[in-house]
């Protein structure tokens, strides 16, 4: 629809203007810095940053109901810059002009209701939001669209040039960073650091295909992260990990979409996310807070962060009920099928601590919870979800296992409706399914395959296995007829088929 045809009350707002006055703010000392510089930590106290907007107060002058209408009508626009996460421009990048925005099809991912069969197994009603249906097949594209748009803005302003973007990754950040950087070639080159043998072959193929320089490093993600942090403090590079505060802003779109997906009604809703480097849960909480403060939603949903028993530093931190006594201790991770979240020292921990506290205060009660799940339950709930029509990755399985765990602990009731983050597409992590089905899961995962869950292909051969078709030599008609009949009979027998009349 052309902007001219929009209702009068929203017409002035339908195409966003650049009114934002965004700035970096340090979580430690509250110092403020210009977004015109590349900055990842506070130069004074080295704490992480978040981006705020001096103009945010003025967004509250527009009533919540009008905002809802603006976003609902923006769905009909055909302007590429506003088709993705920037539908919520005023809340994500109000300082970024539309000309600098990169759109590769991210965001607005489908929300799929669980069928009766799966609801019954779990005990309450829930939906998966399929973030695996983003361009590089994970939610990371939301943050990357924001980060790369911010860099494009700096390039357009002649504030930076010859950009080399770097990131450490458990697989999906690098796939996303390489994809978005390649769209801006030759303005940007990208380099990614991956823990050797700790990403799936699909994830490794992605940055290679996008033309990034790929470095494999011995150790785990946390080790790669330290190297990237060193590089970004010593050399002129753009850091694309979620330490980069623009990543957080982009990922807030996940919450904005949930609000819009559920007609702005957040009462009785529970949002479940897996936690790795904790960028995503930071963004999810912050997004809901911003919409709540702007009156776009009238209540905050419950948030449940899920961690595997093999990588659970955030869960452990919150085990201590007394806030004053909590102390963050990084953990050494053990092998996890939720490999994209296998992080022992999450960079966004200070953000989580501050924002979860604010979230609970605004809700007037504890509204953010953390649960821990076993590796076995992650695998089993992933398989259960996918046998009921979903495309959940292992981290999506972790979410469902977390919901079941939260239900057991009475953190949620069957009166509530959960929205689970299927953070990546199942096919990125199919190697774990293969290991499970072949009963080849290495010992240290502590997963014991349930024979009832195993699914393997069967090779069907005719009685005479020498007379089979091949690409180079077709069978004689009579032999082929016999082959078709023979194989059909064998399949019919396996499937217990009845002869039709
Ligand atoms: C990155 C990632 C996570 C963890 O998200 P954080 O923001 O690091 O907490 C979970 N699942 C998938 C598929 C990921 O790629
Ligand atoms: Zn500081």
């Amino acid at each position: 629809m052309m902007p001219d045809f929009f209702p009068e009350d929203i017409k002035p707002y339908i195409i966003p203007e650049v009114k934002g006055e965004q700035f970096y703010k340090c979580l430690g000392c509250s110092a403020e810095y210009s977004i015109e510089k590349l900055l990842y930590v506070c130069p004074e106290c080295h704490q992480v940053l978040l981006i705020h907007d001096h103009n945010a107060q003025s967004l509250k002058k527009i009533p919540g109901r009008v905002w809802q209408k603006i976003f609902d009508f923006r769905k009909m626009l055909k302007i590429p810059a506003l088709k993705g996460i920037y539908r919520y421009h005023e809340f994500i990048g109000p300082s970024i002009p539309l000309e600098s925005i990169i759109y590769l099809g991210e965001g607005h991912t489908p929300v799929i209701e669980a069928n009766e069969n799966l609801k019954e197994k779990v005990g309450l009603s829930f939906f998966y939001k399929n973030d695996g249906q983003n361009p590089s097949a994970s939610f990371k594209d939301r943050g990357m669209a924001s980060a790369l748009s911010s860099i494009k803005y700096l390039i357009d302003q002649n504030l930076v040039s010859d950009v080399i973007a770097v990131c450490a990754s458990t697989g999906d950040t690098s796939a996303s960073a390489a994809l978005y950087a390649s769209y801006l070639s030759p303005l940007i080159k990208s380099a990614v650091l991956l823990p050797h043998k700790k990403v799936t072959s699909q994830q490794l193929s992605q940055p290679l295909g996008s033309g990034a320089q790929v470095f494999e490093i011995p150790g785990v993600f946390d080790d790669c992260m330290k190297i990237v942090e060193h590089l970004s403090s010593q050399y002129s590079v753009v850091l694309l990990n979620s330490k980069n505060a623009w990543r957080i802003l982009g990922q807030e779109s996940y919450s904005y979409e949930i609000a819009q997906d559920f007609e702005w009604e957040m009462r009785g809703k529970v949002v479940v996310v897996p936690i790795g480097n904790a960028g995503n849960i930071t963004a999810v909480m912050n997004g809901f807070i911003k919409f709540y403060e702007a009156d776009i939603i009238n209540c905050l949903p419950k948030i449940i962060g899920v961690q595997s028993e093999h990588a659970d530093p955030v869960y452990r931190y919150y085990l201590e009920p007394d806030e004053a006594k909590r102390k963050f201790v990084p953990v050494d991770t053990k092998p996890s099928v939720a490999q994209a979240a296998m992080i022992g020292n999450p960079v966004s921990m200070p953000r989580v601590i501050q924002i979860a506290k604010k979230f609970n205060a605004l809700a007037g009660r504890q509204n953010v919870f953390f649960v821990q799940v076993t590796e076995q339950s992650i695998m089993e709930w992933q398989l259960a979800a996918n046998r009921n029509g979903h495309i959940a990755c292992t981290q999506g399985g972790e979410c469902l296992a977390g919901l079941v765990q939260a239900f057991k602990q009475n953190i949620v009731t069957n009166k509530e409706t959960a929205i689970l983050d299927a953070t990546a597409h199942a096919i990125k992590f199919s190697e774990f399914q293969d290991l499970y089905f072949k009963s080849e899961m290495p010992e240290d995962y502590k997963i014991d395959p349930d024979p009832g869950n195993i699914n393997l292909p069967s090779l069907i051969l005719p009685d005479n296995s020498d007379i089979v078709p091949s690409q180079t030599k077709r069978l004689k008609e009579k032999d082929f007829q016999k082959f078709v009949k023979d194989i059909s009979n064998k399949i019919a027998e396996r499937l217990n088929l009845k002869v039709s009349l």
Side-chain angles (χ1 to χ4, degrees):
M1 193 188 263
M2 302 291 283
D4 283 353
F5 301 124
F6 281 65
E8 288 305 322
D9 58 335
I10 59 164
K11 218 186 235 175
Y13 310 114
I14 203 74
I15 309 291
E17 283 170 36
V18 181
K19 284 195 182 151
E21 296 161 29
Q22 289 177 285
F23 60 96
Y24 292 110
K25 186 171 174 190
C26 170
L27 266 86
C29 70
S30 298
E32 298 181 5
Y33 303 98
S34 162
I35 55 163
E36 300 206 328
K37 281 202 207 100
L38 295 168
L39 210 58
Y40 311 106
V41 290
C42 176
E44 291 300 318
C45 75
H46 308 289
Q47 188 53 279
V48 286
L49 311 165
L50 278 175
I51 296 166
H52 297 262
D53 178 9
H54 281 304
N55 189 47
Q57 262 335 89
S58 82
L59 300 181
K60 293 180 191 166
K61 288 189 198 134
I62 300 173
R65 222 169 294 130
V66 175
W67 276 122
Q68 295 172 357
K69 201 166 162 185
I70 293 168
F71 297 138
D72 283 342
F73 273 89
R74 269 189 196 161
K75 276 189 188 181
M76 286 188 272
L77 288 174
K78 302 287 181 282
I79 301 167
L82 299 175
K83 282 170 82 117
I85 59 164
Y86 273 93
R87 178 187 293 168
Y88 314 101
H89 182 272
E90 294 84 346
F91 294 82
I92 289 180
S95 305
I96 307 294
L98 301 199
E99 305 78 67
S100 300
I101 291 170
I102 316 297
Y103 169 68
L104 298 186
E106 64 287 338
H108 311 294
T109 51
V111 174
I112 311 299
E113 186 168 14
N115 65 13
E116 290 307 318
N117 191 32
L118 192 55
K119 271 189 216 172
E120 199 169 305
K121 251 175 103 91
V122 171
L124 73 155
S125 133
F126 73 94
F127 294 75
Y128 263 116
K129 186 162 168 67
N130 285 348
D131 258 28
Q133 285 172 255
N134 276 300
S136 79
S138 86
F139 78 80
K140 299 293 200 300
D141 295 334
R142 297 175 178 279
M144 225 45 91
S146 165
L148 273 294
S149 297
S150 79
I151 295 161
K152 178 68 169 32
Y153 168 67
L154 296 184
I155 293 172
D156 291 346
Q157 302 290 306
N158 290 318
L159 292 166
V160 300
S161 60
D162 302 318
V163 173
I164 310 260
V166 298
C167 68
S169 178
T170 54
D172 291 334
T173 298
S174 53
S176 184
L179 175 66
Y180 281 77
S182 75
Y183 188 75
L184 288 178
S185 68
L187 297 174
I188 298 190
K189 290 188 173 61
S190 68
V192 306
L193 277 71
L194 301 171
H196 187 47
K197 294 197 168 135
K198 296 277 187 308
V199 305
T200 70
S201 53
Q202 291 82 359
Q203 289 172 316
L204 178 58
S205 78
Q206 288 184 290
L208 291 171
S210 295
Q213 291 235 45
V214 177
F215 300 103
E216 295 186 287
I217 313 289
V220 293
F221 168 84
D222 296 289
D223 306 311
C224 289
M225 190 66 217
K226 285 283 176 252
I227 295 166
V228 163
E229 283 173 340
H230 185 76
L231 283 171
S232 71
S233 69
Q234 302 288 313
Y235 299 92
S236 167
V237 292
V238 170
L239 176 68
L240 288 180
N241 282 96
S242 54
K243 194 164 199 177
N244 179 331
W246 288 97
R247 283 272 314 276
I248 305 294
L249 282 175
Q251 286 167 208
E252 288 171 8
S253 63
Y254 183 81
S255 300
Y256 304 153
E257 286 174 27
I258 288 178
Q260 192 165 19
D261 287 334
F262 288 88
E263 303 282 6
W264 318 105
E265 182 51 80
M266 290 291 101
R267 218 171 294 276
K269 301 296 191 300
V270 182
V271 175
V272 188
V273 289
I275 305 179
N277 220 6
N280 206 31
I281 192 164
T282 296
V284 168
M285 291 188 292
N286 217 31
F288 283 120
I289 288 176
K290 283 198 204 165
F291 263 22
Y292 181 70
E293 290 185 327
D295 234 5
I296 300 170
I297 52 174
N298 52 17
C299 122
L300 289 169
K302 217 173 252 182
I303 307 284
I304 299 178
V306 190
Q307 294 211 291
S308 156
E309 59 184 344
H310 285 180
D312 59 355
V314 183
Y315 167 76
R316 282 168 189 264
Y317 174 83
Y318 282 102
L319 271 181
E320 168 58 60
D322 183 354
E323 189 188 315
K325 288 199 198 134
R326 284 179 195 150
K327 194 174 170 304
F328 182 72
V329 186
V331 304
D332 285 324
T333 56
K334 294 191 194 117
S336 171
V337 292
Q339 190 167 261
M342 195 177 72
I343 295 173
N345 190 10
V347 160
S348 282
M349 194 62 202
R351 293 169 172 157
V352 171
I353 294 170
Q354 230 176 68
I355 296 170
K357 189 174 171 184
K358 181 172 177 189
F359 200 94
N360 289 330
L362 283 172
R365 62 188 144 101
Q366 187 184 356
N367 224 23
V368 182
F369 300 85
F370 300 89
V371 298
Q372 182 212 49
V373 296
T374 63
E375 286 290 313
Q376 181 87 25
S377 69
I378 295 174
M379 245 0 262
E380 283 173 0
W381 282 110
Q382 184 209 5
L383 296 174
N386 294 351
R387 284 179 171 212
N388 284 276
H390 296 285
I391 47 169
C393 61
T394 41
Q395 294 70 218
E398 182 178 20
C399 275
L400 184 50
L403 178 64
V404 171
Q405 182 61 30
F407 189 50
K408 262 191 218 153
Q409 290 174 223
N410 294 319
I411 293 170
V412 293
T413 70
N414 60 11
K415 303 268 183 304
E416 292 168 292
T417 300
I419 300 109
L420 276 49
D421 197 342
T423 46
H425 199 290
I427 52 177
K428 278 201 182 206
F429 294 87
S430 60
E431 285 175 8
F432 294 108
Q433 177 183 293
D434 288 349
L435 290 171
Y436 185 100
F437 286 169
K438 292 180 183 157
S439 300
E440 287 171 2
M441 197 62 92
E443 183 73 35
D444 40 11
Y445 285 87
K446 299 266 185 302
I447 293 176
D448 200 5
D450 169 355
N453 272 339
I454 290 176
N455 199 11
L456 290 165
S458 321
L459 177 65
I460 310 286
L461 292 171
D463 290 336
N464 185 344
S465 59
D466 290 334
I467 307 184
V468 292
S470 81
Q471 216 166 6
T472 46
K473 187 167 162 286
R474 300 307 304 164
L475 287 180
K476 288 199 207 85
E477 185 58 26
K478 218 178 90 217
D479 286 340
F480 187 62
Q481 297 274 338
K482 188 170 176 316
F483 168 81
V484 168
K485 207 170 145 203
D486 202 2
I487 299 282
S488 301
N489 288 343
K490 289 194 157 105
I491 291 174
E493 197 178 310
R494 291 280 194 101
L495 294 177
N496 225 345
L497 300 182
K498 292 181 187 63
V499 178
S500 65
L501 294 175

